[in-house]
Amino acid sequence: MATKTNKSFTKRLRVTRRGKILARRGGRNHFNAKEGRGSQLASRRNFDFPMSNKDAGRFLPNLVK
């Protein structure tokens, strides 16, 4: 039986063309009114998600080559 992709996990990540995994930083949904504009814009950027090839193959078998 083929391995299935973990769909809830793929919705939180994005795989680039070269296979790099990007994610969104946590804690950015509410309570942001006190932050300055610069830090609000900086929090919108994605960051490189640290994931081993073993984990990537387990959670994202069809997306990561």
Side-chain angles (χ1 to χ4, degrees), residues 1 4-5 7 10-11 18-19 21-22 26-27 32 34-39 41-42 45 48 52-53 58-59 64-65:
M1 190 164 147
K4 291 184 179 179
T5 301
K7 295 295 185 178
T10 58
K11 292 169 189 172
R18 296 189 176 213
I21 300 171
L22 300 176
N32 296 320
K34 294 179 183 176
E35 288 186 3
R37 186 65 178 149
S39 61
L41 291 174
R45 292 188 207 116
D48 193 12
S52 67
N53 286 339
R58 190 170 130 219
F59 290 110
V64 179
K65 306 263 185 290

Side-chain angles (χ1 to χ4, degrees), residues 16-54:
T16 62
R17 286 184 185 181
R18 296 189 176 213
K20 193 160 76 169
I21 300 171
L22 300 176
R24 203 172 148 250
R25 292 194 188 277
R28 296 297 172 187
N29 291 332
H30 52 95
F31 299 124
N32 296 320
K34 294 179 183 176
E35 288 186 3
R37 186 65 178 149
S39 61
Q40 284 179 2
L41 291 174
S43 70
R44 292 177 62 171
R45 292 188 207 116
N46 293 334
F47 74 102
D48 193 12
F49 191 76
M51 179 185 266
S52 67
N53 286 339
K54 182 179 178 183

